[in-house]
Amino acid sequence: MPEILSWDEFSYQKGKLAFIAQDFNTKKIITILDDRRQTTIRNHFFKYSKEARNKVKVVTVDMSGSCIPLTKLLFPNAKIVLDRFHIVQHMSRALNQTRIKIMKQFVVKSLEYRALKYYWKLIQKDSRKLSLKPFYSRTFRETLTPRECLNKMFKLIPEIKDYYDLYQLLLFHLQEKNSKQFFGLINDTLPHLNQTFKTALNTFVRYKNHIINAIELPYSNAKLEATNKLIKDIKRNAFGYKNFEHFKKRIFIALNTTKEKTSFVSSRV
């Protein structure tokens, strides 16, 4: 077993998900299972000796609640690292749902409604990555930069600004690897938030140790997500697979085959 293991799932057929585990360092696929049920995963990894499983030091997973207890059971010595992409996705989804709830309070033809509807991408974007290039806003009927557009929106709807600022601060602390500030901000603001943000941030509090690992350790599911992209390409090129075993073999052939270097030896005459 590798010291650093990555877990994830990928779509095999419509409505069917398969399980994949990969060596983080070598990107070699360890196993592919035809479903992601806990029983299937547990039975597979229990085939390895306890000594082999104890050697696993880190397991990177997404924020699926079923993965974490199972990981603790199978690899008792491993640190669990939640994928940073899924942490950001969790915050982004909470902000987007809040935007929609606020937007629905206004009349459809109102300026507030149109601003929240048409400039949702600016609200979701990292403020440090906003473009400086001006554009013509049909909603506000003037030429504005993205930041000026956001400022106009916040003057119209101050409620969305509070949640936008919270999202941007959490994003900043996550990217700058400030775990104490990240959770300090959550503890300070949690009582004053709407139910959508409370649900998202309470999830972070529940998985606090694993999120701290994600912030402080240089591991994530990024390499495995890249492998999943290649698997999607294999499936698309074949127009899908009816037989899972054939699909599985094709993946192993394509992704676990390494090109050996040829060593040239001078011929003897």
Side-chain angles (χ1 to χ4, degrees):
M1 292 292 292
E3 290 188 352
I4 305 167
L5 191 64
S6 296
W7 281 16
D8 203 1
E9 56 199 29
F10 63 92
S11 175
Y12 159 48
Q13 288 178 347
K14 189 174 182 181
K16 293 183 179 179
L17 293 173
F19 171 86
I20 183 170
Q22 178 177 275
D23 185 330
F24 177 85
N25 290 320
T26 65
K27 295 193 284 188
K28 182 180 179 180
I29 297 172
I30 304 301
T31 187
I32 297 174
L33 305 175
D34 60 358
D35 65 68
R36 61 186 184 111
R37 289 180 296 179
Q38 290 194 35
T39 306
T40 306
I41 300 170
R42 185 173 65 246
N43 290 344
H44 173 79
F45 282 105
F46 272 148
K47 293 176 184 177
Y48 293 90
S49 67
K50 188 175 181 181
E51 290 74 18
R53 289 185 283 111
N54 284 343
K55 289 179 181 178
V56 178
K57 295 180 179 179
V58 175
V59 180
T60 66
V61 298
D62 59 18
M63 293 191 71
S64 173
S66 60
C67 285
I68 294 171
L70 186 58
T71 307
K72 290 178 179 178
L73 174 67
L74 295 172
F75 309 107
N77 295 334
K79 290 183 177 181
I80 299 172
V81 177
L82 294 185
D83 188 45
R84 287 185 289 275
F85 171 80
H86 288 90
I87 297 171
V88 175
Q89 189 181 54
H90 222 61
M91 299 189 302
S92 179
R93 191 180 295 119
L95 180 61
N96 193 46
Q97 290 173 356
T98 300
R99 175 191 65 83
I100 292 170
K101 285 182 180 179
I102 296 172
M103 183 181 73
K104 287 182 177 179
Q105 297 172 5
F106 300 100
V107 180
V108 174
K109 292 184 179 180
S110 67
L111 184 60
E112 292 87 351
Y113 185 96
R114 288 184 289 120
L116 286 169
K117 181 177 181 179
Y118 295 125
Y119 298 119
W120 64 272
K121 287 186 179 180
L122 293 182
I123 296 174
Q124 300 290 129
K125 195 174 181 66
D126 185 341
S127 61
R128 292 178 292 176
K129 296 179 181 179
L130 286 172
S131 172
L132 300 175
K133 188 177 179 180
F135 67 99
Y136 182 75
S137 168
R138 294 175 64 185
T139 301
F140 294 112
R141 296 182 180 180
E142 60 179 304
T143 301
L144 302 165
T145 63
R147 195 174 298 279
E148 289 170 342
C149 184
L150 282 173
N151 290 334
K152 276 189 167 290
M153 193 189 307
F154 296 150
K155 286 181 181 178
L156 276 174
I157 315 127
E159 186 180 356
I160 192 66
K161 186 178 188 304
D162 295 334
Y163 290 103
Y164 173 83
D165 289 341
L166 173 61
Y167 170 77
Q168 294 295 337
L169 275 172
L170 288 172
L171 196 60
F172 173 78
H173 291 316
L174 184 67
Q175 292 170 346
E176 295 297 318
K177 300 183 178 181
N178 300 324
S179 56
K180 289 183 179 179
Q181 290 87 336
F182 184 84
F183 281 99
L185 182 60
I186 289 175
N187 293 332
D188 291 342
T189 57
L190 197 54
H192 314 291
L193 302 174
N194 62 13
Q195 192 56 47
T196 303
F197 257 93
K198 278 184 179 179
T199 302
L201 298 188
N202 276 325
T203 303
F204 291 170
V205 173
R206 186 163 67 251
Y207 297 140
K208 182 176 180 179
N209 291 335
H210 312 321
I211 291 176
I212 289 174
N213 289 338
I215 294 172
E216 296 180 353
L217 298 176
Y219 308 115
S220 74
N221 261 15
K223 292 180 181 179
L224 186 51
E225 292 294 346
T227 299
N228 285 346
K229 172 63 170 61
L230 294 174
I231 291 173
K232 288 178 184 177
D233 292 340
I234 292 169
K235 185 174 73 171
R236 187 177 65 251
N237 290 338
F239 297 96
Y241 284 81
K242 288 185 179 180
N243 188 305
F244 182 78
E245 286 302 315
H246 292 169
F247 185 32
K248 181 177 174 180
K249 286 176 183 177
R250 182 68 183 86
I251 293 169
F252 274 107
I253 290 169
L255 303 182
N256 266 16
T257 303
T258 56
K259 294 182 180 178
E260 296 183 0
K261 292 184 178 179
T262 305
S263 54
F264 295 96
V265 180
S266 59
S267 61
R268 296 181 180 178
V269 179

